[in-house]
Amino acid sequence: MRAIWKGSIAFGLVNVPVKLYSATEDHDVSLHQVHNKDGGRIRYQRKCEVCGEVVAYEDIDKAYEEEGRTVVLTPAELKSLPEENSREIEVVEFVPSEQLDPIMYERPYYLEPDSKSPKAYMLLLRTLQDTERVAIVQYALRQKTRLGALRVRGDVLMLQSLLWDDEVREADFPALDSDIRISDKELEMSSALVDSMARDFDPEAYTDDYQVQLRQLIEAKLERGDSLDTEATFGVQPGEGEGGEVIDLMEALKRSLDKKRGGTKTGSKTAGTKASSSSKAKADDAEEKAPAKPRARAKKKA
């Protein structure tokens, strides 16, 4: 990994030098645009609307327009802002982690100690672990002042950028204001369905099906060209099998429970390990009597 920022955490009078690394990466298949008539690559140019010239990136400044007036801001002027030059992650308070609404979380970063002795780094890490709190911090990154949560993941400090309060929209849906009555029986059956699907979360049990199928399509196109038959490649498309809309809520819950109790597997690694021996016996017996079920969405990685 390559560090994208260097600075320090200001923890009271304690200074903790750190390097910042992106904690996630994108594995999506990269596609570009082409002309559908001749396959020519489509490219975008930065063209000036005044002189019509294509402008190099280094010759581009930023501007702000208000009431017909335009203010041009050069890179040097933007870098002169005090916050832009700050290399400090300032701890402002410590809060219980459960008080942070997950909707506020943005991009995660790993923090590596950047000093000969990582004692101050380990002190902050252990303090967060022992107090079971996260540190709310403020810092500047990529021409923006940011709010963040400093927390522990494994044996590493992690900085998670947070949305500002006014960046989170309020949900206002008229349908939720109506008087909706949920019967005890509906709640009981819904809870039973949850119990039948309950298990420990295992992220390795799931894959990005779209990316897998996209790679399959690309490989099939490379092999067969325009003679590719997508139905032969992927089989029956979604919507052609079962799964139509069920209007009756109780009927939908009943069918869902019957399907689970009949032994339909979820495809997750933990699904098999968590099932009791009696449940497995019932599932095996049901599979002998029932027709084959469609494959679940969640799958083990190859």
Side-chain angles (χ1 to χ4, degrees):
M1 293 190 293
R2 183 176 64 87
I4 61 174
W5 185 89
K6 291 179 66 176
S8 63
I9 302 170
F11 171 36
L13 297 178
V14 178
N15 187 270
V16 186
V18 291
K19 293 180 181 178
L20 190 77
Y21 298 84
S22 291
T24 59
E25 56 187 356
D26 186 359
H27 288 159
D28 288 356
V29 176
S30 180
L31 303 175
H32 57 254
Q33 296 180 323
V34 297
H35 190 186
N36 60 5
K37 291 184 178 180
D38 54 25
R41 183 78 176 264
I42 304 297
R43 299 186 183 276
Y44 293 92
Q45 296 178 323
R46 300 179 180 89
K47 185 177 290 187
C48 175
E49 64 179 20
V50 175
C51 64
E53 293 183 2
V54 176
V55 183
Y57 185 78
E58 58 268 22
D59 295 328
I60 296 177
D61 288 338
K62 294 184 178 180
Y64 175 79
E65 185 174 342
E66 183 178 90
E67 297 179 354
R69 299 177 61 192
T70 300
V71 176
V72 177
L73 302 169
T74 68
E77 290 169 337
L78 291 172
K79 284 185 178 181
S80 70
L81 297 175
E83 283 296 335
E84 175 63 17
N85 293 317
S86 174
R87 290 286 166 178
E88 189 174 85
I89 300 172
E90 180 189 4
V91 176
V92 292
E93 62 182 349
F94 294 89
V95 301
S97 57
E98 62 269 17
Q99 290 184 1
L100 283 175
D101 189 331
I103 196 174
M104 296 185 68
Y105 283 119
E106 283 197 299
R107 194 175 182 87
Y109 300 93
Y110 289 131
L111 293 174
E112 177 190 19
D114 189 27
S115 62
K116 293 182 179 180
S117 173
K119 185 172 182 178
Y121 180 98
M122 291 305 300
L123 173 63
L124 179 55
L125 186 150
R126 286 290 303 275
T127 302
L128 290 175
Q129 286 179 322
D130 292 348
T131 59
E132 297 183 347
R133 290 177 178 264
V134 297
I136 300 300
V137 301
Q138 288 188 302
Y139 61 104
L141 181 66
R142 292 170 177 165
Q143 297 183 348
K144 185 176 179 181
T145 301
R146 301 172 188 268
L147 187 68
L150 196 63
R151 60 188 182 87
V152 178
R153 185 175 191 269
D155 57 356
V156 176
L157 284 175
M158 171 171 280
L159 174 63
Q160 192 109 28
S161 59
L162 300 175
L163 292 170
W164 297 98
D165 181 65
D166 60 2
E167 292 179 316
V168 179
R169 292 177 174 177
E170 290 295 328
D172 183 15
F173 304 123
L176 297 179
D177 294 332
S178 58
D179 185 17
I180 302 172
R181 300 185 64 183
I182 304 295
S183 70
D184 291 343
K185 186 62 177 177
E186 288 170 334
L187 191 57
E188 179 185 341
M189 293 188 71
S190 181
S191 298
L193 180 58
V194 170
D195 288 341
S196 71
M197 301 171 67
R199 57 188 57 86
D200 292 332
F201 178 59
D202 179 7
E204 292 185 3
Y206 300 90
T207 58
D208 186 341
D209 289 352
Y210 180 85
Q211 294 300 318
V212 171
Q213 293 168 5
L214 180 56
R215 290 184 183 277
Q216 183 182 351
L217 176 62
I218 290 171
E219 291 169 4
K221 279 286 276 189
L222 289 172
E223 181 181 342
R224 303 185 186 91
D226 291 336
S227 62
L228 171 71
D229 183 347
T230 55
E231 186 172 332
T233 302
F234 297 109
V236 178
Q237 297 301 304
E240 295 181 18
E242 64 177 59
E245 183 180 4
V246 180
I247 303 300
D248 190 296
L249 183 57
M250 286 293 292
E251 178 64 19
L253 290 168
K254 184 177 183 300
R255 283 170 54 179
S256 299
L257 276 171
D258 290 344
K259 190 173 183 180
K260 285 294 173 186
R261 289 167 178 169
T264 301
K265 299 179 181 178
T266 63
S268 73
K269 290 183 177 181
T270 52
T273 57
K274 296 292 180 182
S276 65
S277 57
S278 60
S279 297
K280 186 177 185 304
K282 290 179 181 179
D284 292 341
D285 180 63
E287 286 179 356
E288 290 180 1
K289 299 176 182 178
K293 305 290 183 183
R295 187 180 62 182
R297 291 180 180 272
K299 306 186 292 298
K300 292 182 180 180
K301 286 185 177 178

